[in-house]
Each structure stands twice: as C-alpha cells, then as structure tokens.
Amino acid sequence: MKKLYNRQVFRFAALLLFIGTAALNANAQKASPAFTSVTLQPTVAYLKYHGESRRMARLLFKNGKSYNAAAAVVSFNGHTENITIPASTDGLDVFEVALPGSPIKIATQATLSLTAGKQTYVARCIVEPARTDWSVYVLPHSHVDIGYTNTQAKVLKLHIDNIDESIDLAEKTQNYPTEARFKWTTEAIWVVDNYLKLASPEKKARFWNAVKKGWINLDGAYGNINTSMTDSRQLMQMFSKSQKLAKEQGIEIHTMFQGDVPGASWGLAAQSEQTGIKYFLSGPNASDRIGNLAKWQDKPFYWLSPSGKQKLLFWQCQPYSIAYRLKGSKIPNFFTIDEPKPYYTGHPTENFLNPYLFQYLGDLEQNNFPYNMSILTWAMSDNAPIDPELPDAVKAWNEHYDSPKLIITSVKQFFNDLESKYKKDIPSFTGDYTEYWTDGVSSAAKETALSRSTSDRLKQTGAIWAIRNKPAYPVVDFDDTWKNLLLYNEHTWGAYNSVGEPDNEKVKSEWVVKQGYVLRAEKQVDSLMSAALKPASVKANIIDVYNTTAWPRTDVVYVSAALSKVGDLVKDAAGKKLPSQRLSTGELVFVADAVPGMGKSTYSINPGKAFSAKTAVRATINTLTNGIYTVTVDAKTGNIVKLTKATSATRNYVKADSAGLNQYLYMPADSLKNLVSSADAKISIKEKGPLVVSLLIKSDAPGTKGLVREVRLVNGIDRVELINTIDKTAIRRKESVHFAFPFNVPEAQVRYSIPWGSARAEADQLPYANHNWFTMQRWVDLSNAAYGITWTSPDAPLFEIGNITTANLLGGLHHSPQWLSFTPQSSNIYSWVMNNLWHTNFRADQEGDATFHYFIQAHDGTFDSFKANQTGLNDHQPLIATAATSDAEKGLFFKINSNQVYVEAIKPTDDGKGVIAQLVNSGDTDAELSLTPNNVAAIKIWESNLMEDKLKTLNEHFTIPAKGVISVRVEK
C-alpha cells in the first residue's frame, strides 16, 4: 500500500508512459546500430560451465547491440581462454562471460579482448572474492491490503482465488527440483479465515492437505496490523485465529510475515512465548513515509522483550515490491483490472532477478554480510494474482547458475534454515521499533477514539463475566468483536485514490466498510456488556458498581438518568448517605469508596435530594479547586495557565513561558509558520458542585465550526479531567490539529505505555525507529528526580515531544531529511489529534464532532511504573454502574495480590472451566505475586498461553521476572 515506488495514483500514467517508451524502443531496435564500445562488469555469480563452476562477468555492449558472431579472449587468474560471442538476430545487450580458473581469494583483474569485424575492443574489471554458495530464498505471496486496490469484497475474492491457483500450480510443479516447486504464503490469516468459511467440505480437505504438504503456508498474524495502535489484548488476539486453526489441524504456526507496514511494537517480543510466534519477517514499503528504517534491511537479530526473557528472531528483508519493480513492465496493471487473473508472459526468465540479484548480493558482500543466505519476497503488486511463471524461472536459473541458488520458500523454511546454521552468530537487540504509519489513523479521529474505547470496554466486559462467575461465556461473539477491532487497526484505511479522488464511489464505499468494522464492534460490545451485566432478577433502585482493575478503587461513578430516575439520594450497602450530584447531562454522580479489586460494591438510589456534606470543590468563572488541585484558565484563551496541587502548592505545573495547557493549535498547509490557535473564549460554569465542578470554554477555532473544552474536577479525586470536542469542518487542504501540553517538569524523562509494558523515549527505541511522533497505549509520564506528571488519553494515541515535529511531513517523504534520528527529552507534549497529510490510503477530510478526553495527575517523587499503570488503567476502565442482581454473588473466586504486577486482561476460559488472567510486572525487579482462594476452599493455577493450555503448575505464590508478562489459568 502507498507503495511499489509508491504513489499508485500516478502508477497507471507511469505505466502508459513506459509502454509508449517501450514501443518507441521496439521500433528503434529494428534500426539499432551496432555497438561501438564494451565494458566488463564483475558479479558475485558463478555459472555452470561445461561441468565446472565459473565466476561470471557481464560483457555489456555500449551505444548499440551485438548482432554478428565475434571472437574474444579472456584472461583471468593466470588463465587465458578463447570464447565465441554468438550471432543474434535481435541483437545482444549483454553476454555472460565464464571467467577461467578456480575461485579467487584476493581481488584479481579480468581482461577481455573482443574482435568484431575489423575492430578490437578491450575491457577490464576488478573481480573481488565472492562466496560460492549463496542461497536466495524467494517468498511468493500477494500483498494483502484489505481494500486499497479495489473494494474489500473483490480483494477477498482475489486472495481466495490465489489459494486455489496456488494449489493447482504446486501440484503441477511437485516433480520439479525441490527448490523450484511452487509454494504459496497467504500472508494474512484473514484470507484463510474467509476461505474456510466459504469453502465446501471438499475444498477444505484439499486446502488442509496442501497446507500439510507445504504447498500452502500459513503465518500467524490475522492481517498487516498497525501493532502500535493495538492494546495488549488486541495484539495477542492478532494470533488467536491462526493458533486455533493450528491446534485443530495438528500443525504448528510459529511465524509472522508483515508486509508494507514500517516498524512494529516491542510488545510482539514480549508476548512471543504466549502466542508461540518465534519468527518475524518484515517486508516493508520501499520508500513511502518509512523514515530511516531501510537501514535495518538484511540485519537479522533476536528481538529481546523488555524483560529479556523472551525473544523473536526478526529479519527485515528488501521491500516487498521487488518483483513488481522487476517484472511490472511485462504484466498488466492489476490496479486497473476489476478481477485480475494470473498472467503468463511466455518468457519466465526475462525481467527476473538478473542482473538485480548480482548487485544486491555484491552490496551485501561489500558490507561484510556474515550469512550465505538472504530472502526476497515475490509479489506482483498489492492484491495481485500469483506469478505462475516463478517455478519455471527458478528452475531455469538453477540450471544456469551454480551460485546464487534460488529456493522457493515459506517464512517457516527460511527461518528454520537460518537458525539451524547461524543461531549462535545472530546478535540480540532490545527496544521499540516505533512505527511510522500510525499518523494516518488521525485522518479518522472520531472512529479511532471509538476503536480505543471499544477495546477497553470489551476487556471490561470479559472481566465482569469472570467476576460474576457467569456461565456460557460467548467465545465466538467475543472473538468476532476482537476481529472487527483488529480489522479497524489493519493498515489499509481506504482506496489508493482516497486523497486524489475522495468523491469517487468506490473510494467512499471502501471507507464505509472500514468504518463499519469499529461501528459493528461498538454494537457488539454494547450487546455483550448488557449480557454480562444482566441480573437474574432486578432489585428495585439498587445498583452494583464493578471495578475491573485488580486494586481497590475510590473513584467517581456516573449513573445514567434512566437508572437513577427515582431520586438523587445515594446510600451505600450499610445505609450510609453519600454525597451525590445530578449533573447537567442528567447523570447522577457520586464517589464510591474502596470498591474491591475485581469485584463490586452495592448502592441504593433513593427518592429525595442529594445528600450534602462538607466539600472542598469550588468554581469561579476561571478557577476550579477540589481540595487537591487548583486549576486556573486564561479568561481570553481558555487555556490552563495555572495548575497547582495541595501537596506542593507553590509549584505551577504549567510552563511559565507557554500559552498554557490544552491549547488548541491548527496548522494549515503543514507549516509551523502558519500555526494558529482558537480565539474569543467564552467561559461558563457548567457543573457547580458540591461533588463535581467544571468550566465550559467555547471558542472559535480555525478548521472547525467550534471548539468546546470542559475542565472538570471531582471532590477528593486526584485527577484533572479535560474533555475537548471539535466540530470539524471538512477541509481537503493539508492540515493538522494539536492540543498543546507544556508541563513544567524540568529535566523530565519521557516514558509512555506500549502493549505489554512501557518505553522511555529515545533510550528504549531501536535505531532507525520513528522519532517524529509516538503512539501511546494508555499513558505518558514526565518525571524528574523530585516530581512528575502522568498524562493519559483514552481517545488520542499520537503525541510529539518538545515541539511539533510533524511539520513539513507531506506526501511520500522518500528519504526526507525531515525524519528525526534523535528525540531530546522535554516536558512539552503535543497531542496530535487530526491530520490529512497522507497522499493515499487515508481520508482526505473529516467532519463533525470528535471528542478527546485527557486526564492529568501530578505526583511527588520520581517515576513509579506501577502507579503510572494504575493511573492509566483507572482512566481507561472507569467504574461501571448497573442494575443490581437479587442473586447473591461471591465475586471472583481468587484474589490477586502484588504491589507491582497489574492485570492487563482477565476473562473466563473458552471451555468455561476457569479464568485466564494476563499479568504484567511493571517493575525493574522480579515481583512476587500471590493468587489466593476467595470464597472457595482451594484453587489450581497453571502457567498458560494464548490457547489457554495448562503448561506448568504454579503455586499460589510465584515470581514474575522484571518487566515480564505471563498468562495464568486458574480453576476452582
């Protein structure tokens, strides 16, 4: 996607230009003059020559072609031989010369003297020593964009057809030499999932037979996902379907192949033991908005998890578009064909790997490449048919060349061969390979925010199912909802012409399908949550409040108007009156005290007015306080210009020389010099207490029909809440929207949450990763040795550090100097909420309301990873109020106790016999964890995995390594 050198919107025009040029060349060829000079070009290749293996040089004819037979004398390595250049009706551009003698050990000069007619031509070259045993693995696939080139339905049909075509071709070539036998990589389990749903029993049997023969090869990932955009649970779920299929069929899947997407989450390494994925082949885009990551090509390493206990063998190969680059001029433009089919040129060996491969391997040797093997992917383009000529091309190549040898491969075969030979020679590295393409998700900010909140709610739904010990856990429904969320985070967002032709009907239809994934997931979660909370019988005017985190929570509870219509008076289970407040939204709000971790507390809603108690909250036209924080907004801008905390009242957490926190910034044309802000702030008090106070700031804002910002405090709660709603105007000119947060934390280290852990900006990033912007899972923390800020957003994942570092990032940015290689630490954070900077795939504009929540918590002392994760989980998983059940419920049948381990996700096991908990040690030291019975006599505990297997029996007390991740299965 965005690819194949790479602007597909211009691709067809370029192809027409090529065809026209080719036609001119063809006409010119008839009258092409004979050559007037020659050059000799060394290669790393060895020819099969009269039963010998000979080093090869290429004789290139210049300023014309060679038509007539000619005699040549070649001298090399102490040997001289006479050779004949054959006559050619069409003319030769190049002739392969077999250099005499055995392989050289030092650089040696080759000399060729060619006599043609009455003229003698002499050419020389320096030949460096080269390996005699190169193996190049060629991976046939079609890059899976779920959309982009055509509607999603037609793309799916093409990939399904590719499976059938591949089985036919594999069967046809099963008696070819082993290296030339066809095999196919499906790339995404999305294809296989849908193939099996639509296949007849006979086709299913044929498919699985082909898989077990190695003709069809399955890699683990459901699709080419923006892995930094997923939360931890989603990231693991990315491999669920493949592992379930593998278990059903008695096969193993330990590989993933990610095409096109530049970069990947460190969380993939953290979860490798649990997913079973041990090998990761990345075939990224050739140049489109990929920053500096091309420098990782052909540098394999074991990617160590944050704990250092798990590892993933990673290889980033050359761009996946190599085959199209080489063969594209000889095949149709599949973007312009509604239902493309495999295409036969009739000349398999033309426009193949000669001479590209010789230069590629030569460069590797010049760079002291330590391995005698490499891998190239072979795709005819995005969503293209198979190349039916590949087996014949490989067969002919291996008959002609002794080295390099070509091997049609699978990801599994390549990594198995690599590791068996070089396991001890492969280095190990650690760090986040921060992704580049996450910026595009903000072209649909409303849907992206919905995706994030829906994922959080789905995890909460699973947790409530476990807390309530509710039977009949709907596995299929949960899996399908996760699948829809994954498909929203799949890297294809729209059509290749989504920016150039946004009103095209096909472009609009592709977006409707993409948007539909998250809208469908939202409805599914609503239904599942209702089922999880449904009481056996209702107790009138009684509510249960659920806490889906593992620690006791004292936090605000929002009760819907429908659930609280009897009155405003709230009492706890002992009948004690609690302060409450009816909000302007119609919700009833109160603070629940110490709701047990993974449990619930029960309250009653009663007729009468809200109980009033002593309160610390106050609101004036520009100031709020709740006894913990005091917030002051500027009367003209509405920005927060002062933020203090009672524990350090003299410290203003807003940087002194700034315009304030939560400043709206609009950047038209992607230029910082044009940066503008909101104006004419109109401030009013929205919520007046006694429990909740808030200010409402309405402003005119460029790029919008209006901006509304609410600043909210709750009595006694250690949190500042911001709710920003943009009524976006549809604008197709390039633009970006930010909210600025210039915090006053000198010498701050920036840390942010990622799937299954956290990372320090710069310090925990792999070289050549993205430094222009970052993607947080839940929180960002800015801390020095004395104090800090934890800043979270359930809705807005993208942020920049120090400055707006995404200016001037328009278009493809091939090898642009705008890509940063270093991130200075700063407590200035910019939330990048909207943009349309892409030239393809993503949306050209967006309009309507989009809301972004932010939470700010100041803390004394240096960074505490466990507290940061507590804050993030609390902000992403609010307490849930529901009609209470009349049945007695004992809660989760075990307790989780640790001061540095948090529960990332918890759910009933698929078989209904227990509970699966995914646990993360957030600390830098090993952590002791205890799981103890709760309302049952005893529990049984096993270390588990994605398939919920009983891997190893655990005691009630066990240790999780520093920054380690573990799944445990618990049964009564």
Side-chain angles (χ1 to χ4, degrees), residues 17-33 65 67 90 93 329-330:
L17 177 63
F18 177 87
I19 292 170
T21 305
L24 291 173
N25 288 342
N27 291 331
Q29 178 177 302
K30 296 175 182 178
S32 179
K65 297 188 176 186
Y67 294 97
D90 296 326
D93 293 305
S329 64
K330 298 297 182 181

Side-chain angles (χ1 to χ4, degrees), residues 629 643-645 647-656 742-751 780-791 827 856-864:
Y629 294 100
L643 172 62
T644 61
K645 193 171 185 179
T647 55
S648 51
T650 60
R651 180 187 301 135
N652 184 4
Y653 288 93
V654 182
K655 188 165 288 186
F743 291 107
N744 175 29
V745 187
E747 300 179 354
Q749 167 72 60
V750 182
R751 298 171 175 88
V780 175
D781 187 89
L782 316 165
S783 292
N784 56 30
Y787 65 92
I789 291 283
T790 303
W791 173 83
S827 58
I856 300 170
Q857 186 179 76
H859 59 81
D860 292 325
T862 190
F863 173 71
D864 185 315

Side-chain angles (χ1 to χ4, degrees), residues 463 467 547-551 595-600 891-892 894 896 903 905-906:
I467 291 167
N547 173 14
T548 56
T549 61
W551 42 81
V595 181
M598 293 294 168
K600 70 173 185 178
L892 188 66
F894 60 94
I896 304 168
V903 179
I906 189 168

